[in-house]
Amino acid sequence: MMRESSSIAENASRIRERIERAAARAGRAPSELILVGVSKTFPAESIQEAYAAGVRHFGENRVQEWESKQPHLATPGAVWHLVGHLQSNKASRAAKLFHTVDSLDSLELARRLDRAMESGSGHPPGLRLRVLIEVRLDPAPSKSGLSEKELPAMVDGVLALPHLHLRGLMGVPPPFGDPERARAAFRRLREMRDAAAKRAGAALPVLSMGMSHDFEVAVEEGATEVRIGTALFGARPAKTA
Ligand SMILES: *Cc1c(COP(=O)(O)O)cnc(C)c1O
């Protein structure tokens, strides 16, 4: 137990150092960067340990898994991100449980989240749910996210929904062995974000990109949030990874 808890804390500080160095290389302030600990498959205790080590943002990819962990946590001020594909029929539960949906991938889902926020999500009245649109950077057809072509219409559609607050984009490049190979995809996502912001006539400051094996390259290319699972919590069991 002790050993594990010190290791999550050690991992967190190592990741922070690496983020800081990558930010410095790109001439960016480390304070612009948010570490999102992706805690899927890990128990509530691991989340609690990361929280004790100063991590304040957490990502989960399944509504049900998160529902089962949440009651076991004491994490004031923590921000919960949904980072996995959400089925439309779970939208109202997700709107109650998460502060931000980072993996918005259809207008149908956006409409359902908007309606859920309107009709008593448990959030303070008038609060808009933060959302990021997920763009598919991996050509594999099984991967979630919108195509680049679909993005402009999606931006317009989401901006028209009064209870959602569009803040930026998220993307997951293919799992290249060499993180340098993800650089072009990260850069492309940043360009898509810039184009979307121009279209929206509003700032879309958030770029959620970069995972355990490629977050430094993502930071160099403009990520504002990196989503780290393995490097923080350890290896996930192979079958659920
Ligand atoms: C699992 C997951 C992560 C974290 O992946 P690691 O490689 O373990 O850091 C990040 N983003 C999403 C969307 C995930 O599903």
Side-chain angles (χ1 to χ4, degrees), residues 4-219:
E4 247 179 48
S5 95
S6 66
S7 111
I8 288 179
E10 281 163 12
N11 291 345
S13 74
R14 264 196 299 271
I15 292 164
R16 285 202 192 92
E17 281 167 23
R18 289 170 61 189
I19 289 174
E20 280 171 25
R21 280 201 296 270
R25 284 197 293 279
R28 304 180 59 205
S31 57
E32 290 175 32
L33 272 298
I34 289 175
L35 164 60
V36 181
V38 178
S39 46
K40 65 189 184 197
T41 78
F42 289 95
E45 295 133 54
S46 299
I47 299 174
Q48 199 67 55
E49 285 171 21
Y51 181 85
V55 179
R56 287 294 176 273
H57 289 254
F58 294 93
E60 287 274 341
N61 66 343
R62 293 205 179 116
V63 170
Q64 206 152 332
E65 184 181 333
W66 174 232
E67 271 173 335
S68 72
K69 291 178 196 176
Q70 201 190 29
H72 305 289
L73 291 166
T75 50
V79 178
W80 309 108
H81 296 238
L82 181 68
V83 301
H85 173 69
L86 177 64
Q87 289 164 269
S88 293
N89 62 6
K90 291 186 182 148
S92 61
R93 273 156 72 198
K96 281 197 184 72
L97 288 163
F98 292 94
H99 296 103
T100 166
V101 173
D102 296 355
S103 46
L104 189 63
D105 58 4
S106 79
L107 201 48
E108 165 66 12
L109 175 59
R111 291 201 181 101
R112 291 215 188 196
L113 288 169
D114 184 67
R115 278 201 297 275
M117 290 302 288
E118 185 173 22
S119 56
S121 61
H123 293 296
L127 185 90
R128 293 185 294 162
L129 179 67
R130 192 192 91 147
V131 294
L132 306 179
I133 296 173
E134 182 179 358
V135 181
R136 194 172 63 234
L137 301 176
D138 185 338
S142 61
K143 299 297 175 182
S144 58
L146 293 172
S147 71
E148 185 173 352
K149 262 213 203 114
E150 295 169 296
L151 186 57
M154 180 71 171
V155 168
D156 294 349
V158 175
L159 286 172
L161 297 171
H163 307 287
L164 300 188
H165 192 194
L166 178 62
R167 295 296 280 161
L169 303 182
M170 165 181 142
V172 183
F176 297 118
D178 174 5
E180 271 305 320
R181 293 188 58 204
R183 188 179 294 278
F186 290 138
R187 193 170 294 166
R188 190 70 205 116
L189 190 66
R190 186 185 66 208
E191 289 165 0
M192 285 187 238
R193 186 278 309 271
D194 293 346
K198 205 164 169 196
R199 183 176 181 90
L204 296 177
V206 180
L207 262 184
S208 174
M209 59 187 196
M211 304 175 17
S212 291
H213 65 289
D214 58 13
F215 68 88
E216 287 151 304
V217 175
V219 168

